[in-house]
Amino acid sequence: MSDADKLLPGRPYPLGATSDGLGVNFAVFSANATRIDLCLFDARGRKELRRLPLPECTDEIWHGYLPDAQPGLVYGYRAHGPYDPAHGHRFNPQKLLLDPYARQLTGALRWSDALFGYRVQHPRMDLSMDRRDSAAWVPKAVVSDDGFNWGGGESPSVPWDDTFIYEAHMKGVSMKRGDVRGGWRGTAEALAHPAFIEHLHKLGVTTLELLPVHAALDDHFLVERGLRNYWGYNTLAYFAPDPRYLGPAGTNSLRMAIRRLHSAGIEVILDVVYNHTAEGNELGPTLSWRGLDNASYYRLIPGEERYYINDTGCGNTVNLSHPRVLQMVMDSLRHWAESYRVDGFRFDLGVTLGREGTGFDPGSGFFDAILQDPVLSRLKLISEPWDTGPDGYQLGNHPPGFAEWNDRYRDTLRRFWRGDAEQRGELAASLSATPALFDRRHRRPWASVNFLASHDGFTAADVVSYCEKHNEANGDENGDGHGENYSFNWGVEGPSTDESVMQIRSRVLKSMLASLLMSDGTPMLLAGDEFGNSQQGNNNAYCQDNDLSWLDWSQADTQQGRALMDLVSRARALRRTHPSLRRGRFGDDGAELAPGIKRAAWYDMDGCEMSEEAWAYAEGRVLGFQRAALRPDGEVDVSLLLVNGGSEEVVFVLPALPCRWFRRLDTGREGQGGNEIRADEIPVCAHGLVLLANNEGGRP
């Protein structure tokens, strides 16, 4: 540590703590503070050794330079200014604040009333002021050295049209893997374990999407219940990985994992949460942004600045309309893109990020800033197109360059395969990437990220095993989570040993997974769905850091698990082999790519194209979807997807097309792929799916 008793002026840029080899420059934004102190700690972050005021403020950036300081220095800030909640100001120098640009943390947060800027249980609540020092209870920032040898490796840069996303939790994906060394389980090291990479390769996965890895806070109410914020959607630091996921190599543990995944041809996407922070509403703790400049970092209710606009349902909303706050988000994204070389981002509650004063705007500052950025605009960008604010459902309304989670696809797939009425038209739209929503502004089918299940909700196995949610373990008397999951238990709620129940569940699950991989758009698979992983009917396992959420890899070694994995692997291979199963552009479905072969057509079970009367028939549960696309060799690839969502086998009359048909997949009859169909009709099992193609995988 430097022996300097005061800071040199330093520079206002870059923000954060930056080492130049001879010292460290500190820069932090606050428009309303009257003074900011840099607090230096011992290596364990337990004892405050020195407190040095930042000597300069340039354009609302407070800054100073500490000569001779080196990476590894532990620090925090204290901000002076008015404590006036009624006008949006909550400065309290007794609260140690985390640098919003902290790239590495040490220590864990321990809940105490000293974390709050006000006196807990005081009659005036947050209008009171607490004068206890919070330093002993909060994590500290560490000046980091981000140097890492990437070995000249390049990102896999998988084209969108070939992308297959696997959504997983950093910890849960490996905690129960017996082939991973005990100390590695639950950490970044396990992501690059050869056995896990081999598993992804067998499935044909191209892109690993990780639930939040940013340092996150475990809510007080969860800690009191013996639970934690397992999913991590409660960000404490936007530039730092959560220490709980790192091994002995620290932050380089994640870099090493990403480098190895890239070497294996697998991209890495991070789920990021820039819509709110862990500080919550006016009664939440003062940990970073609130204490540095509450009125700038958060959206406050005009005229009632004591209170927060809560479009996120999490207590606060980050104010991306402020240029310095938007800059923080852009700097964070570039940090992960450049220092960790991630391949893209999935934006939690993306509508919040694009909401201006007049409402959601696809031309908002957030979207514009990303799409003009030479680094970020080249990455895979995915938005969750909803939030809890006004006009909060914006599926299909994001700008070109962004893909979107398509929950309409999820719900349609579930409803059709459980046998609901009036679903044929919805299924037709879903299988073709919902063109009514996405075929605009020259967007392409990949913009629809299709999924059967995600971290939020039932697993795929639970969709066919439970009619009701079972969230009692969360401690909210089963009151949390979605009430309507479009699921069905097929006769028994939960696990069953009834052979008939197990058979129908297996067939429905296979048909849904096959549908996912044979739809236009970008398929996303929830980790564990490929072998029937269950969460025992819990559809909101956000707080379950235990066996309930950790993937049960023993299921992969069961007969059913192996059959499901084989199905996913085969369906993915077919998707790659047949370009008609992953059309790259929207277009005129009636256009002929070869004599008598339309680009796309829909058929009823009698082999005739769907009429208006057929589409209007509410009880219709059989549908044929014919698609054609050019192969790289110039030949025309034609596929015919036959689906039967009913409870009885049907005989489908094949359309009168100039094709020789080969059965490529049949979820109701194992071992029947590859044979040529020599009849004019074909049986399709109840709750079954059959894929036909005009070739056996090579040239027609």
Side-chain angles (χ1 to χ4, degrees):
M1 179 182 298
S2 170
D3 293 327
D5 58 0
K6 66 178 183 178
L7 299 171
L8 300 179
R11 298 173 299 164
Y13 184 84
L15 287 160
T18 307
S19 171
D20 63 7
L22 299 177
V24 176
N25 191 79
F26 296 89
V28 62
F29 160 73
S30 179
N32 293 294
T34 57
R35 174 178 137 191
I36 293 182
D37 295 334
L38 172 68
C39 303
L40 306 179
F41 288 81
D42 66 356
R44 303 180 70 182
R46 294 184 176 180
K47 182 179 180 181
E48 185 175 343
L49 303 177
R50 206 175 316 166
R51 193 175 300 186
L52 304 170
L54 293 176
E56 292 288 345
C57 182
T58 304
D59 299 331
E60 301 178 338
I61 304 293
W62 297 78
H63 53 95
Y65 180 85
L66 184 63
D68 302 323
Q70 296 295 319
L73 183 66
V74 178
Y75 72 101
Y77 291 121
R78 297 181 189 273
H80 301 254
Y83 187 82
D84 185 8
H87 293 92
H89 302 304
R90 296 177 180 270
F91 293 97
N92 187 335
Q94 302 304 315
K95 309 306 168 185
L96 188 76
L97 306 174
L98 193 63
D99 183 356
Y101 278 68
R103 298 194 295 271
Q104 184 176 343
L105 306 186
T106 185
L109 183 140
R110 295 179 296 147
W111 281 101
S112 164
D113 287 353
L115 296 174
F116 298 83
Y118 64 95
R119 295 294 300 272
V120 176
Q121 297 182 345
H122 190 280
R124 299 183 71 232
M125 303 187 70
D126 61 304
L127 296 179
S128 65
M129 187 174 180
D130 185 276
R131 301 188 184 278
R132 285 171 290 185
D133 194 327
S134 67
W137 308 96
V138 295
K140 283 80 178 178
V142 180
V143 178
S144 65
D145 178 3
D146 292 337
F148 181 75
N149 183 2
W150 288 95
E154 297 293 331
S155 166
S157 298
V158 179
W160 266 113
D161 291 344
D162 191 41
T163 298
F164 179 21
I165 298 172
Y166 188 85
E167 189 201 28
H169 187 280
M170 173 83 82
K171 182 176 182 179
V173 77
S174 63
M175 281 299 292
K176 300 181 74 174
R177 283 196 71 103
D179 52 4
V180 174
R181 194 164 65 196
W184 286 18
R185 293 176 193 160
T187 70
E189 278 92 340
L191 291 179
H193 191 280
F196 182 56
I197 289 177
E198 181 184 6
H199 179 74
L200 297 181
H201 281 165
K202 285 182 178 178
L203 296 178
V205 168
T206 66
T207 307
L208 177 64
E209 181 177 309
L210 295 173
L211 268 67
V213 302
H214 290 168
L217 176 69
D218 293 330
D219 308 79
H220 191 204
F221 76 93
L222 291 177
V223 173
E224 289 181 322
R225 296 176 188 174
L227 303 170
R228 60 159 295 199
N229 198 311
Y230 171 68
W231 286 350
Y233 291 91
N234 206 24
T235 306
L236 182 61
Y238 285 127
F239 292 74
D242 197 304
R244 291 173 287 197
Y245 299 149
L246 303 178
T251 57
N252 279 345
S253 299
L254 182 54
R255 293 185 180 93
M256 288 189 289
I258 293 173
R259 178 178 172 180
R260 291 186 178 117
L261 286 162
H262 281 178
S263 296
I266 297 170
E267 299 177 315
V268 178
I269 287 178
L270 300 185
D271 195 333
V272 287
V273 188
Y274 295 110
N275 57 80
H276 75 281
T277 77
E279 291 184 309
N281 64 14
E282 67 275 5
L283 300 180
T286 296
L287 305 172
S288 178
W289 308 274
R290 172 174 284 142
L292 283 166
D293 195 348
N294 183 69
S296 294
Y297 278 108
Y298 295 113
R299 295 182 63 208
L300 308 178
I301 296 178
E304 298 181 85
E305 284 79 9
R306 176 184 176 185
Y307 303 106
Y308 296 78
I309 292 173
N310 187 20
D311 290 338
T312 66
C314 299
N316 64 52
T317 303
V318 174
N319 182 20
L320 291 188
S321 295
H322 192 291
R324 290 297 185 192
V325 181
L326 179 60
Q327 178 189 355
M328 177 189 70
V329 172
M330 295 300 112
D331 287 348
S332 170
L333 291 169
R334 277 190 296 271
H335 172 68
W336 290 98
E338 295 177 332
S339 184
Y340 288 86
R341 297 198 181 182
V342 301
D343 303 282
F345 302 95
R346 179 265 188 190
F347 296 95
D348 182 63
L349 301 186
V351 171
T352 300
L353 306 180
R355 183 177 277 112
E356 300 283 2
T358 55
F360 176 78
D361 182 0
S364 70
F366 168 74
F367 292 128
D368 288 349
I370 288 183
L371 293 174
Q372 63 78 43
D373 189 281
V375 174
L376 302 177
S377 61
R378 294 183 291 107
L379 304 181
K380 284 188 166 73
L381 305 169
I382 304 171
S383 178
E384 182 181 44
W386 54 79
D387 71 2
T388 62
D391 297 320
Y393 191 73
Q394 296 290 337
L395 178 64
N397 291 331
H398 285 60
F402 275 76
E404 303 173 41
W405 271 24
N406 190 344
D407 64 325
R408 180 171 167 180
Y409 177 97
R410 174 199 64 198
D411 294 347
T412 296
L413 214 63
R414 294 182 181 188
R415 294 188 67 186
F416 177 84
W417 285 111
R418 78 172 180 180
D420 285 14
E422 299 182 333
Q423 293 304 303
R424 282 207 291 189
E426 286 294 317
L427 180 68
S430 295
L431 292 174
S432 51
T434 323
L437 295 177
F438 290 101
D439 186 9
R440 60 180 71 172
R441 300 188 65 186
H442 303 288
R443 299 179 80 183
R444 298 193 180 186
W446 59 255
S448 173
V449 176
N450 304 325
F451 61 104
L452 168 62
S454 70
H455 68 275
D456 187 4
F458 277 156
T459 67
D462 287 353
V463 169
V464 298
S465 302
Y466 295 89
C467 285
E468 306 293 337
K469 63 182 180 180
H470 296 271
N471 298 356
E472 292 81 5
N474 294 356
D476 284 322
E477 299 181 349
N478 206 33
D480 62 322
H482 301 297
E484 176 53 84
N485 299 280
Y486 304 112
S487 60
F488 192 57
N489 63 22
W490 302 100
V492 177
E493 186 75 353
S496 175
T497 56
D498 186 307
E499 188 64 29
S500 62
V501 172
M502 293 172 65
Q503 284 183 354
I504 193 170
R505 286 179 178 178
S506 175
R507 186 180 302 165
V508 172
L509 183 51
K510 288 179 180 178
S511 294
M512 290 195 295
L513 290 170
S515 300
L516 174 66
L517 285 159
M518 294 176 186
S519 299
D520 293 332
T522 303
M524 184 183 80
L525 182 72
L526 174 65
D529 278 357
E530 72 272 21
F531 53 77
N533 186 68
S534 171
Q535 290 178 172
Q536 300 174 28
N538 191 316
N539 75 349
N540 190 30
Y542 76 102
C543 56
Q544 300 295 328
D545 186 8
N546 49 47
D547 283 351
L548 186 71
S549 288
W550 301 341
L551 297 193
D552 182 5
W553 287 94
S554 66
Q555 292 294 313
D557 292 327
T558 65
Q559 180 179 357
Q560 180 187 14
R562 288 191 294 269
L564 280 175
M565 287 192 295
D566 180 65
L567 180 281
V568 171
S569 179
R570 284 189 292 136
R572 167 56 174 161
L574 290 169
R575 182 181 180 87
R576 273 186 161 157
T577 301
H578 296 286
S580 60
L581 298 179
R582 48 180 173 86
R583 295 180 300 168
R585 293 178 181 271
F586 293 109
D588 179 5
D589 286 346
E592 291 191 352
L593 297 189
I597 302 295
K598 293 182 180 179
R599 187 174 181 276
W602 302 94
Y603 294 91
D604 210 339
M605 60 184 295
D606 60 3
C608 296
E609 287 198 47
M610 292 285 290
S611 62
E612 291 185 9
E613 292 77 14
W615 285 120
Y617 179 52
E619 299 303 318
R621 291 176 175 81
V622 175
L623 187 63
F625 183 23
Q626 174 259 307
R627 283 170 286 180
L630 289 176
R631 298 171 57 82
D633 59 11
E635 300 290 343
V636 176
D637 179 76
V638 188
S639 62
L640 179 61
L641 189 66
L642 308 176
V643 295
N644 176 16
S647 57
E648 301 290 337
E649 180 179 287
V650 300
V651 175
F652 202 110
V653 177
L654 296 178
L657 299 175
C659 293
R660 294 171 58 202
W661 291 118
F662 295 84
R663 192 196 315 257
R664 304 295 281 132
L665 188 73
D666 190 334
T667 60
R669 294 173 173 83
E670 295 296 327
Q672 298 226 3
N675 59 309
E676 184 176 0
I677 305 300
R678 299 185 179 277
D680 294 330
E681 55 188 34
I682 186 172
V684 182
C685 289
H687 315 292
L689 173 152
V690 173
L691 174 69
L692 306 180
N694 69 329
N695 61 81
E696 298 178 89
R699 291 175 61 86

